[in-house]
Amino acid sequence: MNRTEAIAKLINPRSIAIVGASAEFHKVNGRPLKHLITKGYKGQILPVNPKYRSIADLPCYPSVDALPVAADLAVVAVPAKDVLPNIEALGRRGVRSVVVFSSGFREMGADGQTMEDALVAKAKSLGMVLCGPNCLGFINAFSNVYATFSQYADGETGPGPIAFVTQSGAFGTAIAALARQRGLGLGYFINTGNEADVSFSELMMAVIEDPRIRVAAGYLEGLSNGRELIELAHRCQVLDKPLVLTKVGRMESGVRAAASHTGALAVTDTVFDAAIRQFGVLRARNEEQMLDMLQALANPRRAVGNGLGIATQSGGAGVMMADRAEEIGLTVPTLSTETQTRLAGVMPAFGAFGNPVDVTGEFVARPELLRDSVVALMDDPNVHVGIVWLQLMHAYVDTLVRIFAEIRDRTNKPLLVCWVAAPSEALQRLRDAEIVVFSAGERAVEAAHALVRCSEFRRRSVSIPRPLDRSSIPDDAKDGLQPTVSAVKWLGDAGIPMAPVMLAKSADEAVKLWQAIGSAVVLKVESPDITHKTDIGGVLLDLNDEVPIRDGFLKLTRTVAEKLPRARLDGVIVQPMVRGELELVMGVKRDPIFGMVVMAGLGGVLVEVLKDVVFRIPPFDTEEAERMLRELRMSALLDGVRGQRGIGRRGVAKMLARLSCWAATAESSLAELDLNPVLVGSTGPIAVDCVMVLKRK
Amino acid sequence: MNRTEAIAKLINPRSIAIVGASAEFHKVNGRPLKHLITKGYKGQILPVNPKYRSIADLPCYPSVDALPVAADLAVVAVPAKDVLPNIEALGRRGVRSVVVFSSGFREMGADGQTMEDALVAKAKSLGMVLCGPNCLGFINAFSNVYATFSQYADGETGPGPIAFVTQSGAFGTAIAALARQRGLGLGYFINTGNEADVSFSELMMAVIEDPRIRVAAGYLEGLSNGRELIELAHRCQVLDKPLVLTKVGRMESGVRAAASHTGALAVTDTVFDAAIRQFGVLRARNEEQMLDMLQALANPRRAVGNGLGIATQSGGAGVMMADRAEEIGLTVPTLSTETQTRLAGVMPAFGAFGNPVDVTGEFVARPELLRDSVVALMDDPNVHVGIVWLQLMHAYVDTLVRIFAEIRDRTNKPLLVCWVAAPSEALQRLRDAEIVVFSAGERAVEAAHALVRCSEFRRRSVSIPRPLDRSSIPDDAKDGLQPTVSAVKWLGDAGIPMAPVMLAKSADEAVKLWQAIGSAVVLKVESPDITHKTDIGGVLLDLNDEVPIRDGFLKLTRTVAEKLPRARLDGVIVQPMVRGELELVMGVKRDPIFGMVVMAGLGGVLVEVLKDVVFRIPPFDTEEAERMLRELRMSALLDGVRGQRGIGRRGVAKMLARLSCWAATAESSLAELDLNPVLVGSTGPIAVDCVMVLKRK
């Protein structure tokens, strides 16, 4: 049984042993048994506890060794110190999937970490997959598997199209309870706890394969393997199932708090955010936005464009929604003449036929007015998702539910109803009719945006370019700062535009190189001990005559001797003087979570203040590089570069894509690369300085 | 009776005539009567309708003229065409305050506008104040005045400390209903409709004087008089009553939609936003955030600093709240050693004693753990407002309500409880105990921020500087573009640092002026017909010798003759060449809503892309100018200017404050002033170009 099979068995077991089972059903170790029995689990339930002969008419086994079968899953609910021996026993008994509730591991500090390491080592040696420790366990609501003590299980947990995996037990339980309040059904509820062995991404990867699951939602506090998450995002894309993630630790203090809370390696949020955006994951900023998105995404209808049609009974609410739509990049299109004519035919004179359409309160008297105007709006070719806003109307629930059902049947576009201060009966009846309903206008707009983003990503070519066949960095290159001439050559070989560099060992050589170049040059000190040449005055610009070049060479060698007497000096780099209209920076770094990461940003003093940089996971193609550049706040500057139309933006995107293909093959050796500045002129971008540091893995 | 007295009578009448009253209580014209009777209005109710002799045992009068008394208030609920004659009759009968429900006025287009203009003219001529038309009317819940047909009146409308004034009927009703759902009591609910006569600000100004009102909330779609709003904000500040506003039309499309919806003059949102921030108004982005803020502000406790203490039973929720706190500028302070010691004494070993404090689920077993740790947290000197986050706990409502009441009594700092997926009983009981409770963590943080901002503003010196005694613009200055020499003189006289300018009529004069200056100069064409000199090549920089200056003069005159042969040429401006390390822009414009507005921003090409500008209403002092500058995204650049420490920022702030004092006196004559660029160097800022356009009001 491989790991994937073991995880599949874990989430859908035909038999469950509960190690440390209690007959006291309110306790942590009694609750799984209670739920399995009362909610009708069809498989075999095998309580293990020497204190009992039987619990609730089920035979109870005195020890793991006494189990009559090798259960598909074991739930371990014993004190921390007893976990390891039980895991050993389970291994002996042939059990390959366990969930460990017990706390007292990594979250308790160094001693706990040692115990957890031992636990993982044991599980691995036994070929066992382990969820937890320090977790609430999980629910597979389709098969009534309640391997959990979460309070969420106390209420109705009817299955539904959502798979929800959470790193937090308490917050995850709250989110699940809120989902239930909104009538959203969870097919799976999984708390991963310490993730000592099985990770968030692995468990989510398993549950999204279930054909009854339509959408995946996750709550994250940290991440130890970014590549796994990217594979998950890919798989969701292939299966056409949206993935919505909420991750806390967006800000510095949050990251700090998250690190101290989970003990997990804190993820750089900007890299995380860029990576999931690149791979089509929707990020919800908090639990409420996550649930708003899930409401829209759990419905099978998808938007085929980004046009939002809005109908309201309040002009102001329409304006508020139009504001929010514009802010997040939806269009609120002007309606076609045909649509406007249709609307004029059904609406009162004092309504508004634009978009938002203001149907006014008049529809109370003439319900068909609401139906006909919304259907006309939805039929408009530029409208891809519709929102109808209304409020109160406690006396008209029957009529309105009927009308919304009629509208639903007359369009195949997604329709979101926003009913503010609605009668609770109305919400339930609309949900029963599979009509998505929200309680606030901006929430509906943000949910519409999730539908649109989801479809936009689906329409994208997900062609990931091939990385280079092999790294252009030679196998025998040593760790540390690389000689500029070598680094420039390796990058140039990979098709990355680099200003040529040559090394002069003497002033005479420098002059000869200048003569060969035939135009103004730059001189830079070259030393394996000097990373930031400018800081020590190690760069001289725009020299174009023999005397200044000769003087320059001497000045640079003197500067190094004075300021950094211990630095080894290899010579002076001679490079043609390049000018550009715009200054960029590009870089590559090895992220502990996501591996290679490519960065691009705008250079110069203003941008040091703005910190206007964007990230992507390599390799990526030119289209992705263009999207990346559009995320820069100063992106418009790229269009200001003269030369062939658009050469600035397109040329920079091409260079970035090439850099990404190079970076993807360099993971085993590259620690960091800085191209700063990259100058963009009328012939395209070119890197004029390069700092490359290797550190073999 | 002056206008203020008439408005005071309008909102608190001892007798109410209902013109067009109906015995059919579900109708628009029957509903006020129903509510006045059933909800126990103590004053005199006077229905007017020739169709009835009596309604609900009240005598009904056939016409306004037949009324036995001049009612304090008349509600007019008749078709649009009948409004004017009834207003005339009410005026004859001595009624001075009316609310007009009837629609069919400005909102219907040009004909409606004409009718509305006639209505206002009539009311004014009769010395009458008029609320509406096209409004739902209002409720004064303290005196059971139900001069409304809003659905909101159908439910419980028990009075409370909030005054809510809304320009939208439908949306306003929804907001009021949502407030009721949250247990927030409205003392006043007022819909202003078309605001043909009495405005939003006037009505709010009246109700905030009621001592039972603790906080004011408004929903806006447009504004015709910004100064009134500023006076309202001032008054709220004096009364120490927070004012919370939600205004739709934040984005361009929203503004467009708002304009088409209300017919009102759309307010430039950036100016509105700056003005209300300047005067301490809290802006809520939507109805949910407004209600979140009101929950916190309706409680009498105020924060005396910006330190947020967070206690949770979920580390993740704590991180999410810390994220949001940092993002919006709250601090989540490290706790004092004393606090940490206290916490260590009460909490389990696996809790977290930092801030956020993670009390873990353990408090279920030991309720005093929650109480003691939260009290310790609240006692920390750097904590000014506290949030306790918990979820579900349906079995522990009694215990938790008791504990929160104990915590409330042991601290006088504001405490916000965030109880996710709470039992509804718990929410009600906490509210009854005057404990503020939220349903989501980020909402609680944003509400805490509202408390903090409110107190910050209260602590500020609200010393508004005196504008200049009189404008430095001479009374006889003509409308249009002003000669540079004059404009620079007027600004210089007002203490605004301006680079000196002199006009040369000939090349000889230009040379003489350069010689007098004694350093490099700039030449610029001077013409009443040329506003943007650079665009036509009318500026020559850095000339420092006789020949280039002579050539330059000729070149500029030739350029004008060629490019703009009809332009009148006054000569060429000669100005010393000024250099700076940073380029800014400053300006003044006359806004149709707010009057004079001062702008500051960063100059140069990058900033054209960023549009990094900020606004203020003049006059303001140096402190306010510093706050203004801090709002620039590129604000940190001001600290990069060398010279005396901080001279950049402080000097620019001083210059802006002076400009504001000058601008405040220029309202009657100034249309627009652009100082672009203002160069900031080691000696402070100086404006080197100036475009001033006058247009007398």
Side-chain angles (χ1 to χ4, degrees):
Chain A
M1 188 160 59
N2 67 22
R3 190 167 172 85
T4 307
E5 287 162 355
I7 295 174
K9 190 166 272 187
L10 184 144
I11 59 167
N12 198 13
R14 287 158 310 173
S15 52
I16 306 174
I18 300 168
V19 182
S22 170
E24 294 176 76
F25 280 1
H26 65 281
K27 287 193 169 174
V28 164
N29 49 352
R31 293 162 63 82
L33 198 52
K34 176 183 78 172
H35 293 309
L36 286 167
I37 294 168
T38 59
K39 300 212 177 193
Y41 172 63
K42 298 276 184 273
Q44 201 174 356
I45 310 173
L46 305 153
V48 178
N49 193 335
K51 279 172 62 182
Y52 306 99
R53 304 284 301 267
S54 74
I55 302 177
D57 296 335
L58 292 168
C60 184
Y61 303 92
S63 68
V64 167
D65 293 311
L67 281 170
V69 297
D72 280 356
L73 168 66
V75 173
V76 177
V78 297
K81 66 174 173 44
D82 300 333
V83 173
L84 192 63
N86 274 296
I87 292 292
E88 282 176 313
L90 287 164
R92 280 197 302 274
R93 191 63 196 83
V95 174
R96 291 293 169 263
S97 306
V98 294
V99 173
V100 180
F101 290 176
S102 324
S103 55
F105 292 89
R106 192 185 61 199
E107 77 282 6
M108 293 291 282
D111 290 352
Q113 179 74 60
T114 307
M115 280 173 68
E116 187 166 310
D117 292 344
L119 187 64
V120 175
K122 179 56 69 184
K124 286 208 188 297
S125 75
L126 296 167
M128 188 184 269
V129 292
L130 185 151
C131 175
N134 187 29
C135 74
L136 304 184
F138 73 93
I139 298 170
N140 167 350
F142 298 116
S143 303
N144 290 317
V145 178
Y146 289 85
T148 187
F149 64 97
S150 168
Q151 288 181 74
Y152 168 63
D154 291 342
E156 168 65 39
T157 49
I162 298 167
F164 177 54
V165 183
T166 171
Q167 289 185 334
S168 165
F171 203 1
T173 293
I175 294 172
L178 292 172
R180 174 165 54 211
Q181 280 180 7
R182 296 193 188 202
L184 289 171
L186 305 185
Y188 295 92
F189 165 84
I190 303 179
N191 173 220
T192 59
N194 287 6
E195 298 188 17
D197 177 36
V198 183
S199 69
F200 172 89
S201 301
E202 283 182 302
L203 282 163
M204 189 66 101
M205 190 70 114
V207 294
I208 55 160
E209 296 294 336
D210 190 320
R212 296 162 296 189
I213 291 302
R214 196 178 286 149
V215 52
Y219 168 85
L220 289 171
E221 296 179 349
L223 202 64
S224 56
N225 186 330
R227 289 283 164 182
E228 266 185 8
L229 185 69
I230 289 173
E231 281 168 33
L232 170 66
H234 265 307
R235 186 65 192 153
C236 286
Q237 173 71 355
V238 169
L239 294 170
D240 195 12
K241 298 181 181 184
L243 173 60
V244 180
L245 295 180
T246 293
K247 184 178 90 56
V248 298
R250 292 182 297 112
M251 309 294 288
E252 253 179 62
S253 63
V255 168
R256 212 168 48 236
S260 76
H261 163 55
T262 61
L265 195 53
V267 183
T268 309
D269 196 76
T270 39
V271 172
F272 172 85
D273 198 70
I276 68 167
R277 191 163 50 242
Q278 179 176 352
F279 294 98
V281 178
L282 297 167
R283 184 167 187 180
R285 54 172 293 120
N286 57 31
E287 75 279 17
E288 293 194 303
Q289 195 178 43
M290 175 193 274
L291 293 166
D292 290 340
M293 288 182 178
L294 290 178
Q295 282 187 230
L297 297 167
N299 192 282
R301 292 192 188 183
R302 293 289 178 263
V304 300
N306 78 339
L308 176 65
I310 302 174
T312 73
Q313 59 159 159
S314 153
V319 174
M320 178 177 281
M321 290 189 282
D323 277 348
R324 186 63 184 149
E326 182 179 342
E327 201 166 41
I328 58 183
L330 292 175
T331 62
V332 184
T334 306
L335 302 178
S336 70
T337 317
E338 199 200 324
T339 306
Q340 296 203 34
T341 309
R342 274 177 71 182
L343 285 169
V346 295
M347 278 179 42
F350 53 97
F353 313 146
N355 183 13
V357 175
D358 184 356
V359 299
T360 77
E362 185 72 4
F363 73 86
V364 168
R366 295 194 291 131
E368 73 284 2
L369 158 61
L370 178 64
R371 184 195 59 207
D372 295 348
S373 50
V374 174
V375 170
L377 175 69
M378 298 300 288
D379 282 350
D380 190 281
N382 292 318
V383 167
H384 306 105
V385 50
I387 296 177
V388 181
W389 187 99
L390 73 166
Q391 43 94 305
L392 294 165
M393 299 286 155
H394 285 61
Y396 303 92
V397 173
D398 284 343
T399 309
L400 286 163
V401 170
R402 176 175 56 76
I403 285 178
F404 285 124
E406 287 175 14
I407 297 170
R408 176 201 61 198
D409 293 343
R410 294 196 194 181
T411 178
N412 52 16
K413 298 175 186 173
L415 176 74
L416 313 180
V417 172
C418 175
W419 197 334
V420 179
S424 55
E425 179 211 354
L427 298 181
Q428 191 50 53
R429 287 176 59 186
L430 286 176
R431 283 170 188 153
D432 291 346
E434 295 204 350
I435 293 164
V436 184
V437 58
F438 294 91
S439 58
E442 287 205 1
R443 289 167 176 254
V445 173
E446 287 169 17
H449 186 237
L451 282 172
V452 165
R453 283 223 19 235
C454 196
S455 308
E456 267 172 9
F457 192 79
R458 199 165 45 166
R459 285 195 304 278
R460 254 187 225 169
S461 72
V462 282
S463 75
I464 292 189
R466 282 165 58 92
L468 303 182
D469 287 338
R470 56 186 217 86
S471 172
S472 63
I473 303 172
D475 292 340
D476 58 355
K478 293 211 176 72
D479 279 2
L481 182 64
Q482 299 303 299
T484 307
V485 172
S486 309
V488 167
K489 182 182 181 310
W490 302 335
L491 291 163
D493 287 350
I496 298 156
M498 305 294 296
V501 290
M502 282 137 287
L503 186 69
K505 298 276 190 181
S506 66
D508 282 348
E509 275 185 39
V511 169
K512 276 189 194 135
L513 289 170
W514 159 69
Q515 286 165 336
I517 288 167
S519 63
V521 297
V522 177
L523 301 187
K524 301 175 186 171
V525 294
E526 175 73 5
S527 160
D529 303 315
I530 302 175
T531 308
H532 300 293
K533 304 177 177 83
T534 314
D535 294 356
I536 60 144
V539 179
L540 298 172
L541 296 173
D542 208 8
L543 308 178
N544 203 9
D545 212 339
E546 185 171 339
V547 175
I549 289 167
R550 203 170 284 282
D551 289 353
F553 186 97
L554 297 173
K555 187 179 168 197
L556 289 180
T557 50
R558 213 181 311 122
T559 300
V560 172
E562 281 168 13
K563 294 198 176 165
L564 296 165
R566 292 167 159 201
R568 294 161 288 173
L569 187 67
D570 291 343
V572 168
I573 290 288
V574 182
Q575 188 181 24
M577 176 76 192
V578 175
R579 291 168 216 274
E581 297 174 40
L582 187 64
E583 200 178 316
L584 303 179
V585 294
M586 295 184 189
V588 180
K589 65 170 183 172
R590 195 196 282 155
D591 182 87
I593 309 297
F594 283 93
M596 292 284 102
V597 176
V598 173
M599 181 272 278
L602 281 135
V605 59
L606 286 175
V607 178
E608 279 169 35
V609 176
L610 261 192
K611 303 201 178 15
D612 193 11
V613 295
V614 287
F615 297 90
R616 280 295 185 281
I617 307 298
F620 51 82
D621 62 13
T622 312
E623 310 313 314
E624 186 66 34
E626 294 223 21
R627 281 191 288 272
M628 180 180 180
L629 293 171
R630 279 199 293 275
E631 288 173 14
L632 287 167
R633 277 175 286 172
M634 303 289 242
S635 184
L637 285 179
L638 285 166
D639 300 318
V641 177
R642 285 184 291 267
Q644 280 178 271
R645 186 176 158 68
I647 196 169
R649 186 177 290 280
R650 188 78 187 164
V652 172
K654 276 185 187 163
M655 176 170 174
L656 268 174
R658 272 190 209 141
L659 180 64
S660 83
C661 291
W662 177 85
T665 57
E667 178 151 13
S668 60
S669 46
L670 184 74
E672 203 176 351
L673 170 72
D674 275 308
L675 303 179
N676 181 11
V678 173
L679 296 176
V680 191
S682 57
T683 56
I686 188 163
V688 299
D689 200 29
C690 160
V691 174
M692 186 188 289
V693 179
L694 301 187
K695 189 172 170 62
R696 307 241 163 220
K697 268 186 161 175
Chain B
M1 187 162 59
N2 68 21
R3 191 167 173 85
T4 306
E5 288 161 354
I7 294 174
K9 190 166 272 189
L10 184 144
I11 57 168
N12 198 13
R14 287 158 308 173
S15 52
I16 305 174
I18 300 168
V19 183
S22 169
E24 295 176 74
F25 279 0
H26 65 280
K27 286 192 169 175
V28 163
N29 49 353
R31 294 161 62 82
L33 199 51
K34 176 182 78 172
H35 293 308
L36 286 167
I37 294 167
T38 58
K39 301 213 177 193
Y41 173 63
K42 298 277 184 271
Q44 199 174 358
I45 309 172
L46 305 153
V48 178
N49 193 335
K51 279 171 60 183
Y52 305 99
R53 302 285 300 270
S54 75
I55 302 177
D57 295 335
L58 291 168
C60 184
Y61 303 92
S63 69
V64 167
D65 293 312
L67 282 170
V69 296
D72 279 357
L73 169 67
V75 173
V76 177
V78 299
K81 66 173 175 40
D82 299 331
V83 173
L84 192 64
N86 274 297
I87 292 292
E88 283 177 314
L90 287 164
R92 280 198 302 274
R93 193 61 197 80
V95 175
R96 291 293 170 264
S97 306
V98 295
V99 172
V100 180
F101 289 176
S102 323
S103 57
F105 291 90
R106 192 186 62 197
E107 77 282 5
M108 293 292 280
D111 290 353
Q113 181 72 59
T114 307
M115 280 173 68
E116 187 166 309
D117 292 345
L119 187 62
V120 176
K122 177 58 68 186
K124 287 209 187 297
S125 75
L126 296 167
M128 187 184 271
V129 293
L130 184 152
C131 175
N134 187 31
C135 76
L136 303 184
F138 74 92
I139 298 170
N140 167 349
F142 299 115
S143 303
N144 291 317
V145 178
Y146 289 85
T148 187
F149 64 97
S150 168
Q151 289 180 77
Y152 168 63
D154 291 343
E156 167 65 37
T157 48
I162 298 166
F164 177 54
V165 183
T166 170
Q167 288 186 334
S168 164
F171 203 2
T173 293
I175 294 171
L178 292 172
R180 173 165 55 211
Q181 280 179 7
R182 297 193 189 203
L184 289 171
L186 305 186
Y188 294 93
F189 165 85
I190 303 180
N191 173 221
T192 59
N194 288 6
E195 297 186 19
D197 178 35
V198 183
S199 70
F200 171 90
S201 302
E202 283 181 302
L203 283 162
M204 189 67 101
M205 190 71 113
V207 293
I208 55 160
E209 297 294 337
D210 190 318
R212 296 162 295 188
I213 290 300
R214 194 177 290 147
V215 51
Y219 168 86
L220 288 171
E221 296 180 347
L223 202 63
S224 55
N225 188 330
R227 288 285 165 182
E228 266 185 8
L229 185 69
I230 290 172
E231 281 168 33
L232 170 65
H234 266 306
R235 187 65 192 150
C236 286
Q237 174 70 356
V238 169
L239 294 170
D240 195 12
K241 298 182 181 183
L243 173 61
V244 180
L245 295 180
T246 293
K247 185 179 88 57
V248 298
R250 291 182 299 113
M251 308 293 288
E252 253 181 59
S253 63
V255 169
R256 213 168 48 235
S260 77
H261 163 56
T262 61
L265 195 52
V267 183
T268 309
D269 195 77
T270 39
V271 172
F272 173 85
D273 197 69
I276 68 167
R277 191 164 50 242
Q278 180 177 353
F279 294 98
V281 178
L282 297 168
R283 184 168 188 179
R285 53 171 296 120
N286 57 34
E287 75 281 16
E288 292 194 305
Q289 197 179 40
M290 174 192 275
L291 293 166
D292 290 340
M293 289 182 177
L294 291 178
Q295 282 187 226
L297 297 167
N299 192 282
R301 294 194 186 181
R302 294 289 177 262
V304 300
N306 78 339
L308 177 64
I310 302 174
T312 71
Q313 57 157 162
S314 153
V319 175
M320 178 178 281
M321 290 189 283
D323 277 348
R324 186 63 185 149
E326 181 178 342
E327 201 166 42
I328 58 184
L330 292 174
T331 62
V332 183
T334 306
L335 302 178
S336 70
T337 316
E338 198 199 325
T339 307
Q340 296 202 33
T341 309
R342 276 178 70 183
L343 285 170
V346 295
M347 279 178 44
F350 54 96
F353 313 146
N355 184 11
V357 174
D358 185 355
V359 299
T360 78
E362 185 72 5
F363 72 85
V364 167
R366 294 194 291 132
E368 73 285 1
L369 157 64
L370 178 64
R371 183 195 60 208
D372 295 348
S373 51
V374 174
V375 170
L377 176 69
M378 298 301 288
D379 282 349
D380 191 281
N382 292 317
V383 167
H384 306 106
V385 50
I387 296 178
V388 181
W389 187 100
L390 73 167
Q391 43 94 306
L392 295 164
M393 299 287 155
H394 285 63
Y396 304 90
V397 173
D398 284 342
T399 308
L400 286 163
V401 170
R402 177 175 56 75
I403 285 179
F404 285 123
E406 288 174 14
I407 297 171
R408 177 202 60 199
D409 293 342
R410 295 196 193 180
T411 178
N412 52 16
K413 298 174 184 173
L415 176 75
L416 312 179
V417 173
C418 175
W419 196 334
V420 179
S424 55
E425 180 211 354
L427 299 181
Q428 191 51 52
R429 287 177 57 187
L430 287 176
R431 282 170 190 152
D432 290 346
E434 293 204 353
I435 292 165
V436 184
V437 57
F438 294 91
S439 58
E442 287 207 1
R443 290 168 177 254
V445 173
E446 288 168 18
H449 186 237
L451 282 172
V452 166
R453 283 221 22 232
C454 198
S455 308
E456 267 171 9
F457 193 77
R458 199 165 43 164
R459 285 195 304 277
R460 250 185 228 172
S461 71
V462 282
S463 75
I464 293 189
R466 283 166 54 92
L468 303 183
D469 288 339
R470 56 185 217 84
S471 172
S472 64
I473 303 172
D475 292 341
D476 59 354
K478 292 212 176 72
D479 280 1
L481 182 63
Q482 298 303 298
T484 305
V485 172
S486 309
V488 167
K489 183 182 181 313
W490 303 334
L491 290 163
D493 287 351
I496 298 156
M498 305 292 297
V501 290
M502 284 137 284
L503 187 68
K505 297 276 191 183
S506 66
D508 282 348
E509 275 186 37
V511 169
K512 277 190 194 134
L513 289 170
W514 161 69
Q515 285 164 339
I517 288 166
S519 63
V521 297
V522 178
L523 302 185
K524 300 174 185 171
V525 295
E526 175 72 7
S527 159
D529 303 316
I530 302 174
T531 309
H532 300 291
K533 303 176 177 83
T534 313
D535 295 355
I536 60 145
V539 178
L540 298 173
L541 296 172
D542 206 7
L543 308 177
N544 203 10
D545 211 340
E546 183 170 340
V547 175
I549 289 168
R550 203 171 284 283
D551 290 353
F553 187 97
L554 299 173
K555 189 181 168 196
L556 289 180
T557 50
R558 211 181 312 122
T559 299
V560 173
E562 281 168 12
K563 294 199 175 162
L564 297 166
R566 292 169 158 197
R568 294 161 289 172
L569 187 66
D570 290 343
V572 168
I573 290 288
V574 181
Q575 186 179 23
M577 176 78 194
V578 175
R579 290 168 216 274
E581 295 174 41
L582 188 63
E583 200 178 316
L584 304 179
V585 294
M586 295 184 188
V588 181
K589 65 170 185 173
R590 193 196 282 155
D591 182 85
I593 309 297
F594 283 92
M596 291 285 102
V597 176
V598 173
M599 181 272 278
L602 280 135
V605 58
L606 286 176
V607 178
E608 280 170 34
V609 176
L610 263 191
K611 301 197 180 21
D612 192 11
V613 295
V614 287
F615 298 90
R616 281 295 186 279
I617 308 297
F620 52 83
D621 62 13
T622 312
E623 309 313 313
E624 185 66 33
E626 293 224 24
R627 281 191 287 271
M628 180 181 182
L629 293 171
R630 278 200 293 274
E631 288 173 15
L632 286 168
R633 277 175 286 173
M634 303 288 241
S635 184
L637 286 179
L638 285 166
D639 300 319
V641 177
R642 284 183 292 266
Q644 282 179 268
R645 186 175 157 73
I647 195 169
R649 185 178 290 279
R650 189 77 187 167
V652 172
K654 278 185 186 161
M655 176 171 175
L656 268 173
R658 274 191 208 141
L659 180 64
S660 83
C661 291
W662 176 85
T665 57
E667 177 150 11
S668 61
S669 49
L670 184 73
E672 202 176 351
L673 170 72
D674 275 307
L675 304 179
N676 183 10
V678 173
L679 296 177
V680 190
S682 57
T683 57
I686 188 163
V688 300
D689 201 30
C690 160
V691 173
M692 187 188 289
V693 180
L694 300 186
K695 189 172 171 61
R696 306 241 164 221
K697 268 185 159 174

